Amino acid sequence: SALLLTSDARQLAELRVAMERSARQYIVLDDPSLLRGFTQATDDAMRLLDEMDRHDLPRQLSTQWLAQIEPIKSELGGPKASIQQREDALDDSFRTLDRLDGQIAEAVRRSGAERSAALQAQLEAGRASVGTQVLGAIVLAALLALAFGVWLTRPLKRLERAIAGLGENRMDHPIDIRGPSDMRSLGRRLEWLRLRLKELDEDKARFLRYTSHELKTPLAALREGEALLADGVAGPLTADQREIARILGQNTATLQAQIEALLRFNAAAFEAR
């Protein structure tokens, strides 16, 4: 816009020179073609001023410029006076137009400077705004990263504690993992594993109790029979038979000790839990 206004102001000055040259030549030569040239230059100047008004030229300057056209036209179309008188009348109008051209050029220059300053200020404000937004985005990204880190770290710590609990045979605490869907799915699998391990441990304990008690009954019968044989209740024994009875007694005692050890292990495991 500033470049267009500057170009229009320069063209307006050229049109004013063309108008003045045509008007002065017409006064001397009285050639209608020169009057037509003046009229054409005047029309072009008026259209140019109208366009400059749309580009924010001060309305007061364009009004003053156009106000000088009518006196010039009146002088050119009025009664024929002496050439000197007509030139003197034109001098005032064209001197005023020349002064107004200078004021228009100055207004255009000042308008361009003001627009440039306004654009520069807008640019600086935009740069500051972008800097603030970038800084805010960095802070927001850091906060989001911290939040996501905490959100993901807590389920991982719960998973670590749950796995450590399974390794230490702590089966009584349910595993409940909160967080992302993958973490919750993994927590459900660990809970299934905890229940399965607990079930297997209970099955093992039941098996040991059942086996130990079931073995003690026939073992008691074996020990009782061995004691009766050793006491000679079934009749006197030979030396070989006594040796066999002694071996039977030793083995039944060993088997009883092992069964009792199993029972003690089962009881100790229960107490540990």
Side-chain angles (χ1 to χ4, degrees), residues 39-59:
T39 303
Q40 181 64 43
T42 302
D43 292 340
D44 292 341
M46 294 175 66
R47 284 194 296 270
L48 188 61
L49 281 172
D50 185 61
E51 183 177 351
M52 294 175 73
D53 285 340
R54 290 196 296 269
H55 287 90
D56 297 335
L57 177 70
R59 173 68 67 176

Side-chain angles (χ1 to χ4, degrees), residues 154-173:
R154 287 183 177 178
L156 289 175
K157 289 183 177 179
R158 293 193 188 100
L159 283 175
E160 182 182 1
R161 288 195 296 268
I163 293 172
L166 292 179
E168 295 171 0
N169 203 29
R170 296 196 302 268
M171 306 295 177
D172 295 332
H173 300 288

Side-chain angles (χ1 to χ4, degrees), residues 12-273:
L12 182 64
E14 294 173 355
L15 289 172
R16 190 261 309 163
V17 172
M19 289 167 57
E20 184 176 2
R21 182 171 58 251
S22 298
R24 290 183 184 277
Q25 289 177 353
Y26 175 73
I27 290 175
V28 175
L29 302 176
D30 199 20
D31 186 354
S33 64
L34 295 173
L35 182 60
R36 288 194 297 271
F38 169 81
T39 303
Q40 181 64 43
T42 302
D43 292 340
D44 292 341
M46 294 175 66
R47 284 194 296 270
L48 188 61
L49 281 172
D50 185 61
E51 183 177 351
M52 294 175 73
D53 285 340
R54 290 196 296 269
H55 287 90
D56 297 335
L57 177 70
R59 173 68 67 176
Q60 179 184 1
L61 292 176
S62 62
T63 302
Q64 292 177 2
W65 202 98
L66 292 174
Q68 302 302 316
I69 301 298
E70 288 302 324
I72 296 174
K73 287 183 177 180
S74 297
E75 190 65 33
L76 293 177
K80 302 290 192 248
S82 66
I83 294 176
Q84 187 62 41
Q85 290 177 344
R86 299 176 76 183
E87 284 187 349
D88 291 341
L90 290 177
D91 281 341
D92 292 337
S93 296
F94 281 113
R95 201 163 27 249
T96 302
L97 286 180
D98 184 44
R99 178 176 53 81
L100 289 173
D101 284 342
Q103 293 178 359
I104 289 174
E106 177 62 21
V108 167
R109 185 197 63 78
R110 188 167 56 252
S111 175
E114 290 174 354
R115 292 186 183 197
S116 178
L119 286 174
Q120 186 66 28
Q122 185 178 359
L123 177 63
E124 292 298 330
R127 183 182 293 119
S129 176
V130 169
T132 303
Q133 292 175 6
V134 169
L135 181 60
I138 292 174
V139 173
L140 180 61
L143 293 176
L144 287 176
L146 180 61
F148 277 113
V150 173
W151 187 49
L152 292 175
T153 301
R154 287 183 177 178
L156 289 175
K157 289 183 177 179
R158 293 193 188 100
L159 283 175
E160 182 182 1
R161 288 195 296 268
I163 293 172
L166 292 179
E168 295 171 0
N169 203 29
R170 296 196 302 268
M171 306 295 177
D172 295 332
H173 300 288
I175 298 175
D176 184 18
I177 304 298
R178 303 293 179 85
S181 59
D182 293 340
M183 294 294 182
R184 294 197 300 271
S185 177
L186 185 56
R188 288 192 294 269
R189 300 302 295 174
L190 285 176
E191 174 63 10
W192 172 84
L193 179 60
R194 181 190 72 85
L195 295 175
R196 181 62 178 156
L197 289 175
K198 184 178 181 181
E199 182 182 356
L200 291 175
D201 194 53
E202 291 173 351
D203 290 343
K204 181 188 71 174
R206 283 194 297 270
F207 173 76
L208 288 176
R209 287 196 303 271
Y210 176 80
T211 303
S212 301
H213 286 292
E214 290 299 319
L215 288 176
K216 286 180 69 175
T217 300
L219 179 60
L222 286 174
R223 295 205 64 184
E224 184 66 24
E226 181 273 330
L228 292 175
L229 289 175
D231 292 341
V233 174
L237 302 177
T238 62
D240 292 337
Q241 290 173 339
R242 288 186 179 277
E243 181 64 22
I244 292 172
R246 185 185 64 78
I247 293 173
L248 285 174
Q250 290 178 350
N251 282 279
T252 54
T254 301
L255 183 58
Q256 183 175 3
Q258 292 177 350
I259 292 174
E260 290 175 353
L262 282 175
L263 291 174
R264 286 195 300 273
F265 169 77
N266 196 24
F270 179 78
E271 291 296 331
R273 285 196 299 273

